[in-house]
Amino acid sequence: MPSPDTTPDLTTLRPRLPSPLHESEDERFTRRGLRLLLKRDDLIHPELIGNKWRKLAPNLEAAAGRTVLTFGGAYSNHLRATAAAGRLLGLPTVGVVRGQELADRPLNPSLARCVADGMRLHFVDRSTYRHKAEPSTLAAVLHTAGAQDAYVVPEGGSNTLAVRGCRALGEELRGQADVVAVACGTGGTLAGLAAGLDPGQRALGVPVLKGGFLEDDVRRLQAEAFGGSRGDWRLDDRFHFGGYARTTPELDAFAQDFEQRHSVPVEGLYVAKLLYGLVTLAEEDAFPRGTAIAAVVTGSPFPA
């Protein structure tokens, strides 16, 4: 295990950067004069997948060997990625999980994977979780978790370092597409992506949570990371399918069909909603003919 104040060497993990960009022939787009490209961030690393690598890598370096404490729900991709990073780099990790009632229940496959990777779980009630960013509440959580000296990463990994890390995603796509689309949870990936694109390129975010709060969050994240708004971006919040970790038979069937068409594994909580949204927008003639659309594949299906 690294000693305190020792920056882990992330090159030992051999990330695949830049991630591949492939064009996919799909008649739902081509018949409208559109090109669909898939930015395969799911191939960056087998365990630190997609935007999780881009957001976690700078934070893992900043942790400098300290325990990493972060937050998430019972099905959090971010918790799983943080736990995997801890195992691979020999860093202790603590996951603060929303829902005290879950402490007495069998762990679902996602949380069980976190534990198997060495993460120590600390369950908190939902009221505490909602106020976790307040200094007094955070201090109490750190104390009860026995992690007062931990390096804290926010829910979803979206902080200033993460947003700056995601700027590289936009830089990799400069000149490659007119519109770059990404599914959004906490907004950090979109905030960084938009900042990295060329003038004239547009970023489209598809929120997977309902509530309509994400626009303010993205603006705040860009202000904190870059001093103000960056890039041309917008959100379309019609495709959350009921909220985070929610899905429907229609969405499941769509994901299965897309996999069969393109031989690309489709993660259900983020990527399926993004792709469904893009197909719907194409059917609505939301994009002018000749538009090249890059969809960022930020994750892969979790093996239950």
Side-chain angles (χ1 to χ4, degrees):
M1 181 178 298
S3 60
D5 300 321
T6 300
T7 301
D9 182 6
L10 301 186
T11 62
T12 62
L13 302 183
R14 295 188 172 90
R16 185 180 183 182
L17 292 170
S19 61
L21 180 67
H22 302 311
E23 184 155 2
S24 292
E25 290 291 328
D26 191 311
E27 54 88 19
R28 294 170 293 188
F29 293 86
T30 56
R31 70 169 179 258
R32 292 175 169 83
L34 307 174
R35 295 171 57 214
L36 175 66
L37 303 99
L38 300 179
K39 177 64 169 168
R40 297 293 305 275
D41 261 23
D42 57 316
L43 300 179
I44 289 177
H45 189 277
E47 295 186 83
L48 302 183
I49 295 169
N51 60 343
K52 302 308 175 190
W53 169 274
R54 296 186 189 276
K55 293 199 286 188
L56 273 175
N59 279 288
L60 293 169
E61 292 178 343
R66 288 180 286 163
T67 296
V68 175
L69 179 143
T70 193
F71 302 84
Y75 295 93
S76 169
N77 293 327
H78 170 67
L79 286 183
R80 289 207 310 270
T82 304
R87 172 174 56 80
L88 293 167
L89 295 170
L91 293 172
T93 58
V94 178
V96 179
V97 183
R98 180 179 63 248
Q100 181 63 49
E101 71 278 5
L102 300 175
D104 299 322
R105 299 178 186 174
L107 296 178
N108 67 30
S110 183
L111 293 179
R113 180 70 257 173
C114 291
V115 171
D117 280 340
M119 176 174 274
R120 180 163 58 87
L121 300 181
H122 179 71
F123 297 88
V124 299
D125 64 81
R126 292 168 188 272
S127 175
T128 298
Y129 195 90
R130 281 194 299 272
H131 298 282
K132 61 187 178 298
E134 298 174 7
S136 59
T137 302
L138 178 59
V141 169
L142 293 174
H143 177 76
T144 57
Q148 293 93 325
D149 297 325
Y151 179 86
V152 177
V153 178
E155 181 179 29
S158 291
N159 60 7
T160 295
L161 289 177
V163 171
R164 291 173 180 165
C166 288
R167 179 169 50 189
L169 171 59
E171 293 169 348
E172 290 173 22
L173 285 163
R174 287 179 177 174
Q176 301 296 318
D178 303 296
V179 176
V180 180
V182 66
C184 302
T186 51
T189 303
L190 176 63
L193 161 67
L197 293 173
D198 271 332
Q201 290 181 292
R202 292 172 287 138
L204 170 65
V206 175
V208 302
L209 292 83
K210 61 181 178 180
F213 56 85
L214 205 56
E215 182 171 346
D216 288 343
D217 287 352
V218 174
R219 294 190 188 283
R220 173 183 55 80
L221 287 166
Q222 287 198 328
E224 292 171 353
F226 309 120
S229 182
R230 294 290 186 275
D232 180 0
W233 58 269
R234 71 177 184 89
L235 297 167
D236 192 322
D237 60 5
R238 295 180 292 160
F239 307 110
H240 54 70
F241 284 84
Y244 184 71
R246 301 287 182 87
T247 186
T248 66
E250 179 187 11
L251 183 64
D252 293 340
F254 170 87
Q256 184 177 18
D257 175 72
F258 196 95
E259 288 185 357
Q260 293 171 349
R261 288 173 184 252
H262 300 290
S263 300
V264 173
V266 177
E267 184 274 330
L269 303 186
Y270 286 85
V271 179
K273 296 178 180 182
L274 167 68
L275 296 171
Y276 185 98
L278 289 178
V279 169
T280 301
L281 287 165
E283 292 171 348
E284 295 173 349
D285 292 323
F287 306 110
R289 294 185 70 86
T291 299
I293 306 161
V296 183
V297 182
T298 51
S300 62
F302 177 64

